[in-house]
Amino acid sequence: LKCGRRFSLKSVLMLAIGCLEMLEFVHSNHFVHRNISPKTLLMGLQRESHVVFLGDFSLARRFRNPKNLSHLSFKKNRIQIGAPEFLSLNGQMGLELSRRDDLESLGLVLVYFLQGGLPWEKPPPAANKTEHDLMTEKKLKTSVEELCHGLPFEFTTYLSYCRTLDSAEEPDYGWLK
């Protein structure tokens, strides 16, 4: 790619604000996307070239009842869905995905855009372990501080916040922006 798979900090921050507003809208309509990755983020054309859109809602799921706002049951031992490189730790561990996981996945995408990759992409082969198992191991062993090394501290703060949210907790989108 022309940009070496890396975007400028300014571009990533502008993208982050647009994505957070977009996710807040999706979540306010009682859905979680469950597949945030660079491939699902789309930029507008011409007069809308500054607008980011979210595509591929094939894995989206309602997370709460729109009438009484009660959360649907959260299950364990779920099949992992979405792009594994950008899947949250909860998703990697087989937990039902919620708003916090969409936000964590977005954080991983932003780090990817700044650094040009993630430490657990394409793990080296190992005996008796699948690529999925190796990716999970590496993701679990990589701290947020290590992942965000060399980036502004706000990225560490963002990802740490996402990982401390409870599955049914309302994220503070304004603070995140």
Side-chain angles (χ1 to χ4, degrees):
L1 292 173
K2 207 174 193 182
C3 62
R5 292 180 19 157
R6 292 178 188 220
F7 293 174
S8 70
L9 179 60
K10 179 181 178 181
S11 294
V12 170
L13 294 176
M14 290 172 64
L15 183 64
I17 290 169
C19 288
L20 284 166
E21 289 171 352
M22 176 182 52
L23 281 177
E24 183 175 14
F25 176 77
V26 170
H27 295 164
S28 72
N29 284 285
H30 320 291
F31 282 91
V32 287
H33 187 272
R34 304 188 327 158
N35 190 21
I36 304 296
S37 75
K39 292 179 180 180
T40 61
L41 301 178
L42 310 166
M43 294 306 299
L45 299 173
Q46 297 171 355
R47 290 192 326 219
E48 292 186 330
S49 63
H50 64 286
V51 179
V52 63
F53 295 93
L54 183 58
D56 190 3
F57 279 80
S58 62
L59 299 176
R61 179 181 187 270
R62 211 176 269 285
F63 70 91
R64 69 180 170 200
N65 182 322
K67 295 191 189 305
N68 63 16
L69 302 183
S70 65
H71 278 262
L72 303 176
S73 62
F74 287 99
K75 300 173 183 159
K76 294 181 180 182
N77 301 320
R78 303 290 291 174
I79 295 172
Q80 292 182 0
I81 58 171
E85 298 87 353
F86 303 99
L87 188 60
S88 69
L89 283 182
N90 291 313
Q92 203 79 37
M93 301 306 297
L95 299 177
E96 185 76 47
L97 300 178
S98 67
R99 293 173 286 186
R100 68 178 178 194
D101 302 295
D102 277 354
L103 292 169
E104 183 178 339
S105 291
L106 173 61
L108 296 176
V109 168
L110 299 174
V111 170
Y112 171 85
F113 284 152
L114 283 169
Q115 296 182 336
L118 295 170
W120 45 80
E121 286 182 285
K122 298 181 181 137
N128 300 325
K129 291 193 179 182
T130 65
E131 184 175 320
H132 167 75
D133 291 338
L134 293 168
M135 187 181 294
T136 301
E137 264 181 37
K138 179 71 173 171
K139 195 181 281 190
L140 290 171
K141 288 180 182 176
T142 305
S143 69
V144 172
E145 293 77 18
E146 187 181 348
L147 176 65
C148 298
H149 179 74
L151 300 179
F153 75 91
E154 288 85 356
F155 288 90
T156 303
T157 303
Y158 174 96
L159 281 167
S160 296
Y161 172 79
C162 293
R163 289 185 177 177
T164 60
L165 286 170
D166 185 60
S167 60
E169 190 173 348
E170 175 84 21
D172 188 342
Y173 300 96
W175 182 83
L176 288 169
K177 287 184 245 177

